[in-house]
Amino acid sequence: MKVLSKLVFVAAAGLAATTFAAADASAQFYKGKKIELFLAGGSKGSYNRHSRVLQKYLTKHIAGNPEISITPMPGAGGIKAANYLYNAATRDGTAIGTLLKTIAINEAIGRRGVKYKTEKFGWIVSSGPVDSVLALWTATSPAKTLDDVFKKQVLLGSTGKGSATFIEPTIMNALIGTKFKIITGYKGLGKVHLAVERGEVQGRFASWESLKCCKKKWLSEKKVVVLMQSGLVRNKDLPKVPRVIEFAKNDADREFLKFVAAGSTLGRIYVTPPAIPKAAMSALRAGFWSALKDPEYLATTRKRGLEVAPISGEKAKELAVGITNASPKTIKTAKKYLSRKKKKK
């Protein structure tokens, strides 16, 4: 019995030593290092605004207090940044990214240009949902009401076919009968907003938060009318604005629209390249979670109209993988509407 007790004690001591060593490795990993955060959005959108506010709190809460730099990388509806982070960024824990909510659906449909596997990113956290809204410029849009969008063509600006600014209105045209003409190629939502003001396009289907935080005058001066929203539930700010899913014509369409809306719940994700050191991932997850719960940070985000409702990296990954592993029927439908090839003349 004494021998057994001694063995148990030795084993427990060894486990404790290993645990403390792992904790110490995570605590020391980022000491004296610099992290580069790549943004899938441009320098004038809500992704940039979120990251700039969060920046100093990450340095405060990530063990080792690393310096954080931010690099916007818009293009191809978020695919450019996702591909870079997956294939080219360093895998030593000093490169991270905040990617668009559409990364999983783009992989699922085999979007041209996608060179990543959603499941293999290192999933740090989601800072909260990203609800998109249809906002039309009242001075130029031929559609002024909800009924109008089913009768009149409206030009919408888009950052690319991989983004919600293209995917969601394309699905709306196919399933609920809207008549949007989508103009792609704008590098970042800020460029889309500028195009709206210039009259190049007449509206956009993009995040509600980007209006609330970055285009307050559009709302206060009633320069835009907000007619629809994405997501599985109505945003608390927009209780009277209907969700796209409410216009589904049958159960099959309703189920497919739930698949599309899942990206809104996935939200504003922070990930790393595949296979970074375990100590780095542990430090990043703990640091991000603490930063996103920091009372001073939360007070600042409320003041600036930024929404924060974090979900863990594990849960975010589960949601994303659920999209990529959707039923063959759902994927087939998504490809039908989103992967159409141009007809040869």
Side-chain angles (χ1 to χ4, degrees):
M1 289 296 291
K2 289 182 178 180
V3 173
L4 179 60
S5 298
K6 186 175 182 180
L7 289 173
V8 171
F9 175 79
V10 171
L15 178 61
T18 301
T19 301
F20 286 128
D24 185 64
S26 294
Q28 296 298 318
F29 188 87
Y30 282 108
K31 189 172 183 179
K33 294 183 180 179
K34 179 178 179 180
I35 296 173
E36 187 168 13
L37 171 59
F38 295 93
L39 308 182
S43 60
K44 295 184 178 180
S46 62
Y47 274 76
N48 185 67
R49 186 70 62 93
H50 257 281
S51 297
R52 296 292 175 187
V53 173
L54 186 58
Q55 189 175 18
K56 74 173 184 177
Y57 297 97
L58 290 177
T59 293
K60 173 184 175 183
H61 287 282
I62 294 174
N65 309 116
E67 181 183 346
I68 310 289
S69 65
I70 296 175
T71 303
M73 189 176 282
I79 293 175
K80 179 180 178 180
N83 283 344
Y84 177 82
L85 195 68
Y86 191 89
N87 297 288
T90 179
R91 298 191 178 193
D92 63 359
T94 61
I96 62 177
T98 176
L99 304 182
L100 301 190
K101 64 182 184 179
T102 51
I103 64 166
I105 194 171
N106 283 323
E107 182 194 344
I109 67 172
R111 170 80 70 193
R112 182 179 179 182
V114 167
K115 297 177 181 178
Y116 59 79
K117 293 292 182 183
T118 301
E119 185 175 11
K120 292 185 178 181
F121 281 112
W123 288 80
I124 304 171
V125 76
S126 167
S127 66
V130 178
D131 294 321
S132 297
V133 298
L134 173 65
L136 303 182
W137 196 250
T138 53
T140 58
S141 173
K144 312 291 185 185
T145 68
L146 195 56
D147 286 341
D148 285 344
V149 299
F150 296 99
K151 300 173 183 177
K152 301 177 181 181
Q153 185 182 85
V154 179
L155 302 181
L156 299 185
S158 169
T159 60
K161 292 185 178 181
S163 76
T165 58
F166 177 87
I167 289 173
E168 290 176 321
T170 297
I171 293 296
M172 291 163 69
N173 284 349
L175 293 188
I176 68 173
T178 50
K179 300 185 181 300
F180 304 125
K181 183 176 180 180
I182 306 163
I183 311 300
T184 61
Y186 293 100
K187 290 189 175 182
L189 191 56
K191 299 293 185 181
V192 172
H193 286 164
L194 185 59
V196 170
E197 292 176 326
R198 289 174 172 173
E200 295 174 18
V201 294
Q202 298 154 339
R204 36 66 101 208
F205 198 93
S207 76
W208 161 241
E209 192 179 60
S210 65
L211 295 181
K212 193 171 74 166
C213 81
C214 311
K215 290 293 180 183
K216 293 180 180 179
K217 284 190 175 181
W218 281 19
L219 299 172
S220 64
E221 296 176 7
K222 298 183 178 180
K223 292 185 176 182
V224 292
V225 57
V226 177
L227 298 178
M228 287 191 200
Q229 61 178 301
S230 67
L232 297 174
V233 297
R234 292 191 182 189
N235 187 288
K236 59 181 173 48
D237 296 330
L238 305 167
K240 296 182 179 180
V241 177
R243 298 168 297 142
V244 173
I245 201 170
E246 293 172 38
F247 296 91
K249 297 174 182 178
N250 52 57
D251 289 343
D253 288 355
R254 190 172 294 105
E255 285 303 308
F256 180 71
L257 288 171
K258 285 183 181 179
F259 162 76
V260 177
S264 293
T265 304
L266 178 61
R268 199 176 305 279
I269 54 175
Y270 290 86
V271 300
T272 74
I276 70 165
K278 290 182 179 180
M281 179 56 74
S282 294
L284 288 172
R285 282 182 168 177
F288 264 84
W289 195 259
S290 294
L292 291 168
K293 296 288 186 178
D294 187 298
E296 183 182 332
Y297 165 73
L298 291 173
T300 302
T301 56
R302 282 193 294 269
K303 183 178 180 181
R304 299 193 183 188
L306 300 173
E307 298 181 22
V308 180
I311 59 175
S312 70
E314 293 92 338
K315 180 62 177 177
K317 180 179 179 179
E318 182 182 324
L319 289 169
V321 172
I323 295 172
T324 58
N325 291 341
S327 70
K329 181 180 179 181
T330 298
I331 300 299
K332 183 178 180 181
T333 302
K335 287 181 177 180
K336 175 183 176 182
Y337 298 133
L338 299 173
S339 300
R340 290 174 175 168
K341 296 180 179 180
K342 294 181 179 180
K343 295 180 179 179
K344 294 182 180 180
K345 294 183 179 180

